[in-house]
């Protein structure tokens, strides 16, 4: 039985009522950095945070997800929030993923596998009292960029309860020791508008020297699956075979509305990000 890990979708839960936002002069909470700045993303990568955006470290990311009623995976290494988009970063230390199947990505077959996996995942959603989801269609079919070693795809996920649709635009940045999983949460009608900002922001992401894909050496850990399984949930399938599924299986339901309101609360008002630019704040 195939199932997969899904970062899914906006507006499944109503965002909580927030208190009056602090003034723009107030410092950002611990773990939050306003751009422009360069920050660590996990242990082996960095990101140039664009001006007008804020980056939250692993602890801040998990805290925001949990406060908005979401489960966490333990792999979160950061989030990037702006007026344009909400992006979550996770790192999966599965090892070096061979891209031998880059020319054999079958979008129809992968969509069928995702749908099968979501039906399995709905059992868990139902037990948690959350709306069941449906993989409606591809907004963006899986494609691989050989030069940058990036895999991208974007399914439209539908809330069966209210019919709301959201694109989970996924990017997998392949490294020497694993995969940086980057997910943009966006409504279908805003994808074309937000993709340029998202792609521009990702140009500021780099694996540290010796951690990039080209630095692979004989003897390094090699993942048990290739590119297609990154889309359809190979990690969970391997975990099931090894008896670790209960420990590794996590489902995150992330709300765009909650993230956006939190951003406005931090900035004080739309379009302002004065905080203490480039400096990570410490708790008083």
């Amino acid at each position: 039985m195939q199932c997969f890990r899904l970062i899914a979708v906006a507006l499944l839960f109503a965002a909580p009522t927030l208190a009056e936002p602090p003034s723009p002069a107030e410092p950002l909470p611990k773990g939050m950095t306003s751009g422009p700045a360069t920050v660590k993303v996990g242990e082996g990568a960095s990101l140039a945070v664009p001006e007008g955006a804020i980056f939250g470290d692993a602890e801040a990311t998990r805290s925001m997800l949990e406060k908005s009623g979401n489960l966490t995976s333990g792999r979160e290494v950061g989030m990037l929030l702006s007026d344009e988009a909400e992006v979550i970063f996770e790192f999966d230390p599965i090892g070096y993923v061979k891209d031998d199947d880059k020319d054999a990505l079958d979008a129809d077959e992968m969509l069928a596998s995702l749908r099968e996996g979501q039906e399995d995942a709905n059992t868990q959603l139902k037990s948690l009292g959350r709306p069941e989801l449906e993989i409606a269609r591809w907004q963006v079919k899986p494609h691989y960029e050989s030069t940058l070693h990036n895999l991208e795809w974007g399914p439209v996920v539908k809330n069966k309860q209210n019919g709301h649709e959201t694109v989970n635009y996924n990017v997998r940045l392949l490294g020497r020791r694993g995969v940086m999983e980057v997910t943009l949460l966006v409504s279908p009608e805003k994808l074309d508008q937000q993709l340029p900002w998202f792609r521009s922001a990702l140009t500021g992401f780099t694996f540290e020297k010796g951690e990039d894909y080209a630095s692979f050496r004989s003897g390094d850990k090699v993942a048990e699956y290739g590119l297609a399984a990154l889309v359809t949930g190979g990690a969970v399938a391997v975990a099931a075979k090894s008896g670790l599924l209960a420990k590794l299986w996590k489902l995150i339901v992330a709300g765009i509305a909650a993230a956006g309101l939190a951003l406005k609360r931090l900035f004080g008002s739309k379009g302002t990000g004065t905080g203490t630019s480039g400096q990570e704040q410490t708790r008083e």
Side-chain angles (χ1 to χ4, degrees):
M1 179 176 65
Q2 177 103 30
C3 53
F4 69 102
R5 188 172 179 282
L6 174 69
I7 295 184
V9 205
L11 307 180
L12 293 180
F13 304 96
T17 301
L18 298 177
E20 286 299 313
S23 68
E26 289 189 36
L28 294 174
K30 181 180 180 181
M32 307 296 289
T33 302
S34 61
T38 299
V39 297
K40 296 273 289 183
V41 185
E43 296 182 357
S46 63
L47 177 72
V49 181
E51 184 173 4
I54 58 175
F55 179 83
D57 64 13
E59 184 177 350
T61 301
R62 285 190 287 269
S63 177
M64 177 173 285
L65 288 171
E66 289 168 354
K67 286 178 180 177
S68 58
N70 297 296
L71 299 178
T72 55
S73 67
R75 300 203 309 263
E76 296 85 5
V77 291
M79 62 181 173
L80 185 65
L81 304 177
S82 78
D83 286 335
E84 284 75 27
E86 293 80 35
V87 181
I88 296 174
F89 290 82
E90 300 176 87
F91 184 72
D92 191 350
I94 56 175
Y96 179 85
V97 178
K98 294 183 178 180
D99 61 2
D100 299 344
D101 60 340
K102 61 181 179 292
D103 296 322
L105 299 177
D106 188 323
D108 292 338
E109 182 178 313
M110 286 187 282
L111 185 62
S113 182
L114 287 177
R115 286 172 170 164
E116 180 183 350
Q118 185 55 42
E119 286 304 310
D120 295 334
N122 280 338
T123 301
Q124 183 174 358
L125 282 175
K126 188 174 182 179
S127 70
L128 294 171
R130 297 179 176 178
E132 296 180 46
L133 305 175
E134 173 188 344
I135 309 299
R137 61 189 179 278
W138 286 124
Q139 187 78 9
V140 179
K141 293 183 178 181
H143 58 282
Y144 181 67
E145 211 299 312
S146 299
T147 303
L148 299 175
H149 308 292
N150 294 354
L151 176 65
E152 300 186 22
W153 72 95
V156 176
V157 185
K158 183 177 181 179
N159 181 328
K160 287 187 175 183
Q161 187 176 54
N162 60 21
H164 179 80
E165 293 185 341
T166 299
V167 177
N168 289 258
Y169 195 87
N170 296 271
V171 177
R172 297 296 180 263
L173 309 173
L174 306 188
R176 178 182 179 182
R177 305 182 195 281
V179 178
M180 185 64 71
E181 304 174 349
V182 189
T183 306
L184 168 67
L185 305 172
V186 58
S187 58
E189 62 272 15
K190 292 185 178 180
L191 178 63
D192 289 342
Q193 173 187 336
Q194 294 189 8
L195 266 183
W197 181 90
F198 176 60
R199 286 173 171 157
S200 176
L202 282 189
T203 63
F205 174 89
T206 56
F207 282 108
E208 294 179 356
K209 185 177 181 180
E211 297 298 321
D212 60 296
Y213 196 76
S215 295
F216 174 79
R217 298 291 181 270
S218 177
D220 285 349
K221 178 182 177 181
V222 176
E224 297 184 47
Y225 44 88
L227 298 176
L230 290 181
V231 178
T232 59
V236 176
V238 171
K241 291 179 181 179
S242 64
L244 297 175
L245 181 59
K247 179 182 292 187
L248 297 180
W249 169 253
K250 295 289 183 183
L251 183 71
I252 294 181
V253 183
I256 292 178
L261 285 173
L263 174 65
K264 292 178 182 178
R265 184 183 184 187
L266 289 171
F267 279 170
S269 62
K270 183 178 175 70
T272 62
T274 52
T276 50
S277 179
Q279 299 295 319
E280 183 171 345
Q281 301 306 304
T282 56
R283 191 183 303 274
E284 296 182 357

